[in-house]
Amino acid sequence: EKGYETGEHAPGLKLGGCGAYKAAHHIIKTHAKVWHSYNNTWRSEQQGMVGISLTSGWGEPVDSHSHTDRDAAERYIQFHLGWFANPIYKGDYPEVMKNYVGRKSAQQGLRTSRLPTFSLQEKTYIKGTSDFLGIGHFTTRYVLQKRFPFLQASGYHTDQDLAELVDPKWPAPGPKWLYSVPWGFRRLLNFIKTQYGNPLIYVTENGVSEKVQCTQLCDDWRTEYLKGYINEILKALKDGVNVKGYTAWSLLDQFEWNKGFSERFGFYHIDFKNKNKPRYPKASADYYKRIINANGFPNQKEVMA
């Protein structure tokens, strides 16, 4: 969406309301081809696994008793995670995506939907092409219904007919988009369990960056974030979710998309102004080491069951 619709990220294309959908369509078909290539050529010898890593927030209805808010929250998840996961686990795009994009396309006077379609052969070829699901997760949003005028130029965001809100009480230790809402992760993991047949899950990204560089390397907010989110993963395990592994984002400060070196997610601070790029452990590095050593929380009193 940022690369092929808004142009914020490389390759910087602004292809109206269809670019993101076309790009995703090619990604999904290419992923399936890679999976089949490995499955047919190397799996018998190497016994490896091929999966896909998808990043998604969690969408919580503003009013859980409101049918329209619950539907909006469902659309949020389906337009994010389901966009890619549904074809791979069920063979096609989510029905709600097809309905909403199709209707908006018709209102624009288009003969066909801006959301591409898979042939029957492609659906069969794509379905089941994942030995595990990688999940990147950082934050949560409250979601409610919001109708966008059909005369407005429709695109990925307006197609969803929803608005995203945050609770001002949520900690916001990092960039403006990243609020710490650990309970959303457990709900997302349980959604995956229910929606896609409890696949094998590896958490491939989870972490928080810094608003202001702490010269003393005392990133207590990152420790609290990790504690909360890892605790919710442990709760999800008790729920029966098939989580196999966890990877924090990230080991080192590094180049982050169009934010460059200004957003620092690392356990280790990198002095980019020094030609030798020296690395200094932040306080969170020591905390995470202790979690790894204990294969869990060293002090169980830190967390709630």
Side-chain angles (χ1 to χ4, degrees):
E1 185 256 341
K2 286 182 168 64
Y4 292 87
E5 186 166 306
T6 67
E8 294 172 61
H9 289 176
L13 301 179
K14 299 179 180 179
L15 300 177
C18 62
Y21 295 134
K22 286 183 178 179
H25 200 68
H26 289 302
I27 288 169
I28 293 165
K29 291 199 291 184
T30 304
H31 162 78
K33 188 165 187 177
V34 170
W35 186 92
H36 281 286
S37 175
Y38 185 85
N39 194 55
N40 296 334
T41 309
W42 295 289
R43 187 188 299 274
S44 59
E45 179 184 344
Q46 298 179 351
Q47 298 298 308
M49 295 194 300
V50 177
I52 193 166
S53 184
L54 306 175
T55 300
S56 179
W58 173 251
E60 183 76 9
V62 168
D63 181 357
S64 60
H65 300 293
S66 164
H67 181 70
T68 55
D69 283 3
R70 290 199 307 270
D71 284 352
E74 173 76 14
R75 285 198 302 282
Y76 176 91
I77 298 298
Q78 295 294 357
F79 267 82
H80 285 80
L81 180 66
W83 185 5
F84 294 85
N86 222 73
I88 290 169
Y89 285 96
K90 296 187 174 184
D92 200 2
Y93 291 119
E95 287 300 316
V96 70
M97 275 193 82
K98 294 194 289 184
N99 293 340
Y100 269 69
V101 181
R103 186 175 71 249
K104 297 256 182 175
S105 300
Q107 289 171 344
Q108 290 176 273
L110 301 175
R111 289 186 176 183
T112 58
S113 175
R114 286 179 285 104
L115 182 70
T117 57
F118 295 113
S119 68
L120 187 60
Q121 184 179 9
E122 286 172 337
K123 290 177 184 178
T124 304
Y125 188 73
I126 294 165
K127 186 178 180 181
T129 56
S130 194
D131 304 315
F132 66 89
L133 178 60
I135 287 293
H137 175 77
F138 294 90
T139 193
T140 285
R141 291 290 185 269
Y142 278 121
V143 181
L144 76 164
Q145 172 90 4
K146 179 183 178 181
R147 294 200 180 279
F148 290 89
F150 73 83
L151 293 175
Q152 186 176 336
S154 291
Y156 172 69
H157 280 289
T158 56
D159 283 340
Q160 301 173 48
D161 272 351
L162 58 84
E164 302 174 27
L165 304 174
V166 298
D167 187 333
K169 296 177 184 177
W170 289 345
K176 61 183 180 180
W177 61 271
L178 207 170
Y179 292 80
S180 181
V181 196
W183 52 260
F185 203 2
R186 182 184 184 182
R187 297 186 186 192
L188 176 65
L189 292 170
N190 272 282
F191 175 88
I192 293 167
K193 172 191 171 186
T194 303
Q195 250 337 262
Y196 307 123
N198 202 17
L200 177 65
I201 295 174
Y202 287 93
V203 178
T204 46
E205 287 187 35
N206 175 242
V208 64
S209 63
E210 298 154 36
K211 270 185 181 174
V212 181
Q213 183 179 323
C214 181
T215 54
Q216 304 301 315
L217 305 178
C218 50
D219 56 344
D220 296 337
W221 63 87
R222 185 173 285 110
T223 295
E224 289 302 311
Y225 179 97
L226 291 167
K227 184 190 300 182
Y229 276 77
I230 293 172
N231 192 33
E232 292 298 318
I233 297 171
L234 293 174
K235 292 177 185 177
L237 278 167
K238 289 185 177 180
D239 298 334
V241 180
N242 192 13
V243 182
K244 182 73 172 178
Y246 173 86
T247 307
W249 189 261
S250 63
L251 179 66
L252 306 172
D253 290 336
Q254 59 187 346
F255 195 89
E256 288 286 341
W257 300 89
N258 58 343
K259 300 298 182 183
F261 299 116
S262 65
E263 276 197 14
R264 295 173 176 267
F265 278 85
F267 286 122
Y268 285 79
H269 171 82
I270 309 298
D271 183 356
F272 293 110
K273 295 178 181 178
N274 186 313
K275 67 176 183 179
N276 294 321
K277 306 292 186 293
R279 307 166 184 185
Y280 305 99
K282 303 173 188 177
S284 59
D286 180 65
Y287 181 74
Y288 194 53
K289 281 180 184 177
R290 288 190 283 124
I291 288 178
I292 292 170
N293 284 333
N295 196 27
F297 290 103
N299 181 5
Q300 285 296 323
K301 293 179 181 178
E302 283 186 308
V303 293
M304 295 177 63

